[in-house]
Amino acid sequence: MKTQRSINKLVIFVKAPRLGQVKSRLAASIGEPATCDAYKKIAAHLLENLRGLENVEIRFSPDDAENELRKWLGDDFDFARQSSGDLGERMHGAFQKAFAAGNERVVMIGSDCPYVTRQDVASAWKHLETHDIVLGPAMDGGYWLIGLRQPQPALFENMAWSTENVLETTLSRIRVMNLSYHCLRCLNDIDTENDWNCYLENSVKTGSRPMSRKTDEIRAES
């Protein structure tokens, strides 16, 4: 019998926190050194939220960043380089490798949303038992999570990434392909100075909730 470790997998895309290589929109407002510090805080918060999950892999860039990231994040995760190409090609490549390794339900997130929890990931794995695809809608029109139970290259080809139409286009493709899907709650990535300030405000409020919207609102708009 397969263990849970060989069935469910979480892949996290992480960049080395280097000047000029992370969060360009935020850097344009607060400067590159402050943005690197912000990115470190966001990613560390996210990984702390996910602590305790098994079969977690950090897919990193650039290719020479493994030692740097191990010193920063520790050795509690598996580390692997991202493949070459645009974001869609790198995501598809990571999914392919995860399924080739024998995993059956693969969930992928970035490192831009510190509000993601273990419960979000567990919910995605659970819904993949009955749906082909799981998405975590983001407020900016993208998604903070995508989960699959087999490779779906058409979802990642010729996509205008980092635009407000990513989620809408993805949902349209899913419907054309006649695949089943489930949407999780909607969360906010940290991309702009306003996002960062909201995050800092939420961080100091005891018992505060992250910015979110109901899934029904996303479905109604899509």
Side-chain angles (χ1 to χ4, degrees), residues 92-139:
H92 175 55
F95 272 118
Q96 278 190 311
K97 291 175 181 177
F99 287 118
N103 300 283
E104 296 180 3
R105 295 187 286 271
V106 181
V107 167
M108 183 179 295
I109 61 174
S111 47
D112 298 321
C113 183
Y115 307 123
V116 184
T117 66
R118 290 188 300 275
Q119 291 76 17
D120 291 318
V121 176
S123 178
W125 281 331
K126 182 66 176 177
H127 284 291
L128 283 173
E129 295 177 11
T130 54
H131 297 82
D132 297 310
I133 298 166
V134 173
L135 293 167
M139 288 186 175

Side-chain angles (χ1 to χ4, degrees), residues 10 12 41-53 77 109 113-121 185 187 199 210:
L10 173 64
I12 309 174
K41 182 179 180 67
I42 293 164
H45 187 167
L46 171 66
L47 294 176
E48 181 61 29
N49 288 350
L50 302 177
R51 190 174 299 278
L53 291 176
F77 311 98
I109 61 174
C113 183
Y115 307 123
V116 184
T117 66
R118 290 188 300 275
Q119 291 76 17
D120 291 318
V121 176
R185 61 183 181 144
L187 295 175
Y199 168 74

Side-chain angles (χ1 to χ4, degrees), residues 181-199:
Y181 71 93
H182 176 81
C183 284
L184 302 175
R185 61 183 181 144
C186 186
L187 295 175
N188 195 41
D189 289 336
I190 309 298
D191 290 321
T192 67
E193 184 177 7
N194 183 62
D195 297 335
W196 175 238
N197 289 335
C198 287
Y199 168 74

Side-chain angles (χ1 to χ4, degrees), residues 15 76 92 220:
K15 292 182 179 180
D76 293 337
H92 175 55

